[in-house]
């Protein structure tokens, strides 16, 4: 049976409270969700955000109607969790340590343009907004209007952030 | 670098993604023919996009499922606890009377077993012979409780490396909250030892601690 059919079957069971079925969904999708969390939020928070995403999915699984693939639905849930975490973190930093937040929020050419740096590491070091747009567009294949909705920015801003990210990353390929 | 190079370089990503109007694309291609810098940049941007598309996802370094399973169970139990309070008013009144009568003495005794600042009970054992059996049982329960907590804490110390950091952090946060609640309840009880609500609250909080430790210790054995 293809994975998508297995997903539908297990999602239906999980919606009835079957945690064994939900564990099977976890096993099939954890690598992709973890990859997303790691690239969007960095390795330090990736474990916890992956867990948060699956716990949220469990809580909302009754809302999964099967119109799209389970993986796509789960992905949307995970993105929402990751971006929510990011917003909470930004608010917290603004309240507690504005200097630190500003430092991270600014482009850091020196750091992200180190020649020969591992590409994944270079992505992690991009400024947050540019990183989110880059991961969602170039790694995950979302369109600018979709990214705009997720990040609450215009499609134009999404395009300019993507270009900024690509320009910063090209030095790592030298 | 000329201004026109700057302007066109900023459009290279759009060009690469096929997002330029026909006329603009033609102009950019014309510029590219004469601008080596923009041509090089375009090649590099193509490489970045290709690299992004070929990234391979790596699984997490450890199994995150036990932590998820734990939190799912917590959620479920929380919901069940929430549902269990949907009694009618007469049911609640009857339950409250029974609970106060049965658990206040036991809870006070459990609490006093832990506290060096033990206050005298408002009603002594001699004054309440009917409760003697319960009080004796509660003293034993108090000793058992302390032993159980100590044993579970030892199990957790040994097995905590098998849990992921997120789970350990959440458990520690919860334990800290519960311990604080227990301390506050004990302090309040030292001033008002016969307060039925405080007695029940303390007993319930101690049960929560025991329950949390038991379930976390079970996770280390998964």
């Amino acid at each position: 049976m293809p994975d998508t059919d297995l997903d539908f079957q297990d999602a239906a069971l999980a919606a009835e409270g079957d945690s064994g079925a939900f564990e099977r969904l976890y096993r099939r999708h954890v690598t992709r969700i973890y990859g997303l969390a790691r690239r969007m939020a960095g390795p330090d928070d990736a474990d916890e955000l992956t867990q948060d995403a699956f716990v949220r999915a469990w809580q909302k699984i009754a809302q999964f109607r099967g119109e799209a693939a389970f993986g796509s639905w789960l992905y949307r849930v995970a993105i929402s969790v990751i971006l929510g975490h990011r917003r909470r973190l930004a608010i917290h930093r603004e309240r507690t340590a504005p200097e630190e937040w500003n430092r991270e929020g600014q482009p850091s050419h020196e750091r992200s343009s180190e020649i020969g740096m591992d590409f994944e590491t270079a992505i992690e070091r991009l400024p947050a907004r540019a990183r989110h747009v880059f991961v969602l567009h170039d790694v995950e294949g979302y369109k600018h209007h979709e990214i705009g909705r997720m990040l609450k920015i215009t499609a134009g801003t999404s395009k300019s952030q993507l270009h900024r990210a690509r320009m910063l990353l090209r030095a790592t390929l030298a | 670098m000329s201004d026109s190079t700057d302007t066109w370089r900023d459009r290279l990503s759009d060009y690469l993604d096929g997002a330029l109007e026909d006329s603009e694309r033609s102009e950019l291609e014309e510029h590219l023919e004469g601008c080596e810098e923009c041509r090089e940049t375009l090649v590099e941007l193509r490489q970045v996009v290709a690299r992004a598309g070929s990234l391979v996802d790596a699984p997490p370094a450890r199994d995150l499922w036990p932590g998820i399973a734990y939190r799912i169970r917590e959620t479920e139990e929380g919901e069940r606890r929430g549902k269990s309070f949907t009694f009618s008013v007469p049911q609640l009144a009857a339950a409250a009377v029974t609970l106060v009568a049965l658990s206040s003495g036991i809870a006070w005794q459990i609490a006093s077993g832990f506290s060096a600042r033990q206050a005298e009970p408002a009603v002594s054992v001699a004054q309440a012979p009917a409760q003697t059996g319960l009080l004796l049982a509660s003293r034993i329960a108090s000793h058992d409780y302390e032993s159980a907590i100590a044993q579970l804490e030892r199990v957790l110390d040994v097995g905590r490396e098998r849990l992921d950091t997120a789970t350990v952090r959440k458990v520690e946060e919860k334990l800290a909250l519960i311990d604080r609640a227990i301390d506050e309840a004990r302090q309040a009880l030292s001033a008002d030892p016969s307060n039925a609500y405080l007695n029940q609250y303390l007993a319930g909080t101690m049960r929560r601690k025991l329950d949390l430790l038991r379930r976390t210790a079970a996770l280390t054995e998964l």
Side-chain angles (χ1 to χ4, degrees):
Chain A
M1 192 185 290
D3 272 1
T4 46
D5 292 348
L6 290 173
D7 281 352
F8 281 126
Q9 207 172 69
D10 283 334
L13 290 169
E16 297 293 318
D18 183 340
S19 60
F22 192 68
E23 183 180 355
R24 289 193 292 275
L25 289 167
Y26 161 81
R27 302 273 170 219
R28 284 199 289 276
H29 294 278
V30 63
T31 299
R32 191 156 175 245
I33 297 299
Y34 177 77
L36 174 74
R38 186 187 163 91
R39 290 186 191 113
M40 292 278 278
D44 292 346
D45 294 329
D47 279 9
E48 189 168 357
L49 285 171
T50 302
Q51 291 181 319
D52 287 350
F54 278 97
V55 171
R56 178 82 64 85
W58 169 262
Q59 290 164 343
K60 288 180 169 283
I61 200 156
Q63 295 171 19
F64 172 63
R65 306 272 177 228
E67 289 109 349
F70 176 79
S72 307
W73 178 82
L74 177 64
Y75 221 66
R76 295 260 177 194
V77 171
I79 288 170
S80 160
V81 167
I82 293 164
L83 293 177
H85 164 80
R86 181 74 217 172
R87 276 190 282 272
R88 283 195 301 280
L89 204 63
I91 291 167
H92 174 72
R93 282 181 176 159
E94 210 166 4
R95 285 179 185 160
T96 56
E99 316 80 34
E100 194 182 333
W101 183 84
N102 286 336
R103 245 197 333 268
E104 200 215 16
Q106 283 168 0
S108 50
H109 283 263
E110 306 78 28
R111 289 188 306 160
S112 59
S113 64
E114 287 168 29
I115 290 172
M117 184 194 293
D118 170 61
F119 195 65
E120 291 275 14
T121 308
I123 293 173
E124 283 162 18
R125 292 189 179 184
L126 286 171
R129 181 57 59 79
R131 182 173 71 242
H132 292 160
V133 173
F134 178 78
V135 170
L136 291 171
H137 189 279
D138 279 2
V139 182
E140 304 301 339
Y142 286 100
K143 307 284 182 206
H144 284 295
H145 68 271
E146 296 174 303
I147 296 168
R149 274 203 302 272
M150 289 179 206
L151 299 182
K152 298 181 172 48
I153 55 177
T154 63
T157 302
S158 177
K159 283 181 183 177
S160 65
Q161 290 291 333
L162 177 65
H163 182 64
R164 181 184 181 205
R166 287 173 176 174
M167 291 295 281
L168 288 169
L169 287 170
R170 76 200 161 110
T172 66
L173 298 173
Chain B
M1 188 190 303
S2 69
D3 284 350
S4 75
T5 295
D6 269 351
T7 306
W8 285 117
R9 202 178 59 170
D10 287 345
R11 311 306 313 272
L12 288 174
S13 277
D14 285 343
Y15 175 72
L16 206 56
D17 295 336
L20 293 182
E21 298 292 329
D22 287 349
S23 58
E24 210 174 10
R25 194 182 65 238
S26 301
E27 282 181 65
L28 175 58
E29 284 172 348
E30 200 175 308
H31 170 79
L32 282 172
E33 282 175 21
C35 180
E36 191 182 343
E37 194 180 335
C38 280
R39 282 201 305 276
E40 279 176 11
T41 304
L42 184 63
V43 169
E44 288 167 350
L45 291 178
R46 273 209 179 92
Q47 287 174 343
V48 169
V49 175
R51 189 74 176 271
S54 64
L55 286 174
V56 176
D57 290 326
R62 71 173 102 201
D63 187 6
L64 303 177
W65 176 253
I68 295 167
Y70 169 78
R71 287 170 61 189
I72 285 174
R73 275 200 298 275
E74 284 276 289
T75 309
E76 301 274 283
E77 283 168 19
E79 281 172 8
R80 272 200 293 277
R81 277 196 294 273
K83 283 174 189 168
S84 72
F85 283 104
T86 55
F87 294 118
S88 66
V89 173
Q91 280 175 319
L92 273 176
V97 169
T98 310
L99 270 173
V100 169
L102 283 178
S103 67
S104 62
I106 294 174
W108 184 87
Q109 283 293 319
I110 292 173
S112 62
F114 282 93
S115 176
R117 304 174 304 245
Q118 180 176 339
E120 283 302 315
V123 181
S124 72
V125 173
Q127 286 171 309
Q131 290 188 346
T132 304
L134 279 177
L135 295 174
L136 182 61
S138 72
R139 283 198 184 96
I140 295 165
S142 166
H143 177 262
D144 288 348
Y145 179 88
E146 278 183 288
S147 304
I149 291 285
Q151 197 179 339
L152 287 167
E153 284 173 343
R154 278 196 298 277
V155 170
L156 273 182
D157 275 346
V158 173
R160 63 188 293 137
E161 284 179 2
R162 275 175 243 139
L163 298 176
D164 57 84
T165 48
T167 304
V168 171
R169 187 158 71 240
K170 283 191 192 307
V171 169
E172 284 175 344
E173 283 169 7
K174 283 192 173 188
L175 280 174
L177 278 174
I178 292 173
D179 283 341
R180 201 182 313 146
I182 288 173
D183 283 347
E184 286 169 2
R186 281 185 193 147
Q187 279 175 24
L189 272 169
S190 68
D192 185 10
S194 61
N195 186 310
Y197 168 77
L198 287 174
N199 278 313
Q200 285 175 44
Y201 175 74
L202 177 60
T205 310
M206 289 161 73
R207 274 196 300 273
R208 275 175 57 210
K209 179 171 181 176
L210 192 60
D211 188 42
L212 177 61
L213 285 170
R214 271 188 190 136
R215 279 181 290 129
T216 312
L219 274 178
T220 66
E221 291 161 8
L222 285 176

